[in-house]
Amino acid sequence: MKKQLQGISLMLFGLLLGIAEGDLNHFITRHVSAFPFALVGLIIGIVGLAFIFKPEKDK
């Protein structure tokens, strides 16, 4: 159950990065080229999906 909750939190964080990409680029990187926050959010979300659907090991 703990891995599933970690996966859900990673998915939500990835979604947050994807939604806020434009504002984050404007706020953080004013004089530097744009950083692909949406791509990073997508990768984090995929890792979260792996945590959610990975079967748990029984002790």
Side-chain angles (χ1 to χ4, degrees):
M1 182 70 177
K2 184 177 178 182
K3 290 282 187 183
Q4 291 175 337
L5 291 176
Q6 288 175 348
I8 291 171
S9 66
L10 281 175
M11 284 187 59
L12 291 174
F13 183 67
L15 182 66
L16 178 69
L17 281 178
I19 290 173
E21 177 188 21
D23 293 333
L24 284 173
N25 276 330
H26 178 69
F27 183 72
I28 294 175
T29 60
R30 291 184 183 179
H31 302 291
V32 184
S33 63
F35 186 77
F37 286 107
L39 180 63
V40 172
L42 178 67
I43 293 170
I44 290 174
I46 290 171
V47 170
L49 276 176
F51 277 159
I52 290 173
F53 293 112
K54 183 178 178 185
E56 292 185 22
K57 296 180 182 178
D58 294 332
K59 289 185 178 180

